[in-house]
Amino acid sequence: MAERSILITGGAGFIGSHVVRRFVNRYPGYNIINFDKLTYAGNLENLRDVEKAPNYRFVHADICDAETVAHTLREHKVDGIIHLAAESHVDRSIRDPFAFARTNVLGTLTLLQEARNYWESLPEGYEGKLFYHISTDEVYGALQLDRPDGGAPYGSEFFTEETPYAPHSPYSASKASSDHFVRAFHDTYGMPVIVTNCSNNYGPYQFPEKLIPLFISNIRHGKKLPVYGEGLNVRDWLYVEDHARAIDLIFHRGRVARTYNIGGFNEWKNIDIVKALIRVTDRLLGNPEGHSLPLITYIEDRKGHDLRYAIDSSRLKEELGWEPSLQFEEGLEKTVRWYLDNPEWSDRITSGEYRDYYRRMYGDRE
Ligand code: NAD
Ligand code: DAU
């Protein structure tokens, strides 16, 4: 196997930790550098099982810090970048859009510029290099619910790679902007890039501010389940390891300058997800059926709440043979079991205790 040196940004976050784990375990000949600022969403506990692997390095830094980005690229002779670092929560973007512009737009631009400076300085230039940018289906805007019988799929339209961008939230506006910068670096400077746009991920290690881990934790603690509006918004859910597998495949076999949509053809109304979560969690906790249903509380809708997302990922299937491997029922059960088996993971996060783990592991070293 050819040796490679791959910088994975945001590797201490939810999806990033699954990508790092997969690459460290599957590619012992690769040097994997996890570049992460450890914001509230970054957690080195997510990577305990690989942190001592000889092909794993951690760099505690901000993607907006051009000097450290440049130094890291040169020090490790990086030839591949998989860029996941971002502010990722829509509700936070509604409260503080500037943080999203800073990391998602300026941070991505900083990475692009420093990768360009470094790679153009090499005798072989861009040969064998790749800047792979991980993005979201939210850049495409929102779809209608237009199935009169109300069954899934909930509408006749899907997001394809040709769907024009129409972001609504500050989060999706910042991701759309970063996608455009990535493509501009290909079109202007010839940088080899790939962009993928994925639907909602779920699974272990997701920060408990997002719907599924938040609600599992609340059911466990008997707390209210705050459903926005009437719970009729539709999302397309994909198990996180299926996303990591797609990223691996696309990183190695994807076509440069191409966009791939990644999704599960798995649409669910929020309220149906909440009921399914209650059913599985109550069963695994030994509660009587329907025990936690009274926790459902309808609250004021999210501002600008996109009605429906649904991804058409046929290009990825046709060109690279990728398909989701897990049925939703199976993925949900696996996910609930993981959170119930690792209650201290969510509890430590909500208490902020995990930050001490970093200090214990690395002292004050940045
Ligand atoms: P997350 O919030 O769980 O993790 C983000 C990680 O990025 C954290 O480890 C954090 O410390 C790090 N980070 C944030 N700002 C940084 C900075 N300035 N410098 C360095 N590191 C920084 O996010 P996630 O849900 O794992 O999403 C990862 C990526 O995938 C994001 O780009 C997101 O837009 C995209 N995405 C997420 C989903 C989803 O359902 N979660 C779906 C499609 C695409
Ligand atoms: O579609 C991909 C996107 O999926 C990613 O790009 C984002 O990073 C990721 O956070 C996710 O965005 P969503 O806004 O769809 O995810 P979230 O888990 O926040 O919400 C899922 C749905 O559940 C959404 O319609 C809002 C609703 N919701 C969410 C929360 C947190 C509630 O009804 N109540 C809640 O408390």
Side-chain angles (χ1 to χ4, degrees), residues 10 12-15 36-39 41-42 61-63 84-86 88 103 134-136 171 175 198-201 210:
F14 165 47
I15 302 171
D36 197 299
K37 184 182 174 185
L38 297 181
T39 66
D62 188 333
I63 54 168
L84 296 109
S88 68
T103 286
I134 306 299
S135 192
T136 170
Y171 164 68
K175 291 295 291 187
C198 188
S199 63
N200 283 63
N201 285 215
K210 310 281 167 56

Side-chain angles (χ1 to χ4, degrees), residues 57-168:
R57 302 276 178 286
F58 174 61
V59 177
H60 182 205
D62 188 333
I63 54 168
C64 299
D65 173 356
E67 214 172 295
T68 307
V69 170
H71 175 78
T72 308
L73 295 174
R74 282 170 202 277
E75 185 188 7
H76 296 282
K77 300 186 173 54
V78 167
D79 57 20
I81 297 175
I82 305 179
H83 174 36
L84 296 109
E87 288 294 338
S88 68
H89 190 39
V90 174
D91 292 325
R92 284 178 189 259
S93 82
I94 294 167
R95 286 198 302 273
D96 181 13
F98 282 92
F100 286 69
R102 182 181 175 279
T103 286
N104 300 1
V105 184
L106 295 178
T108 301
L109 181 55
T110 305
L111 268 183
L112 284 164
Q113 184 72 334
E114 294 311 321
R116 178 183 159 227
N117 286 342
Y118 172 48
W119 288 342
E120 285 184 351
S121 75
L122 298 174
E124 72 275 23
Y126 288 127
E127 201 179 315
K129 312 290 188 296
L130 181 65
F131 189 106
Y132 177 2
H133 177 61
I134 306 299
S135 192
T136 170
D137 59 358
E138 302 200 9
V139 297
Y140 296 124
L143 297 165
Q144 294 305 309
L145 290 175
D146 60 12
R147 286 266 194 255
D149 60 359
Y154 291 99
S156 49
E157 256 191 290
F158 292 82
F159 297 136
T160 72
E161 290 83 357
E162 271 68 51
T163 303
Y165 275 30
H168 295 136

Side-chain angles (χ1 to χ4, degrees), residues 8-21 34-47 56 58 84-86 88 203-207 209-210 240 345 349 354:
I8 300 182
T9 70
F14 165 47
I15 302 171
S17 62
H18 288 273
V19 175
V20 166
R21 179 176 301 99
N34 172 14
F35 190 102
D36 197 299
K37 184 182 174 185
L38 297 181
T39 66
Y40 79 94
N43 184 353
L44 288 175
E45 282 197 34
N46 299 358
L47 290 166
Y56 172 74
F58 174 61
L84 296 109
S88 68
Y205 302 112
Q206 186 169 30
F207 196 85
E209 62 187 353
K210 310 281 167 56
V240 62
W345 184 87
I349 281 178
Y354 74 96

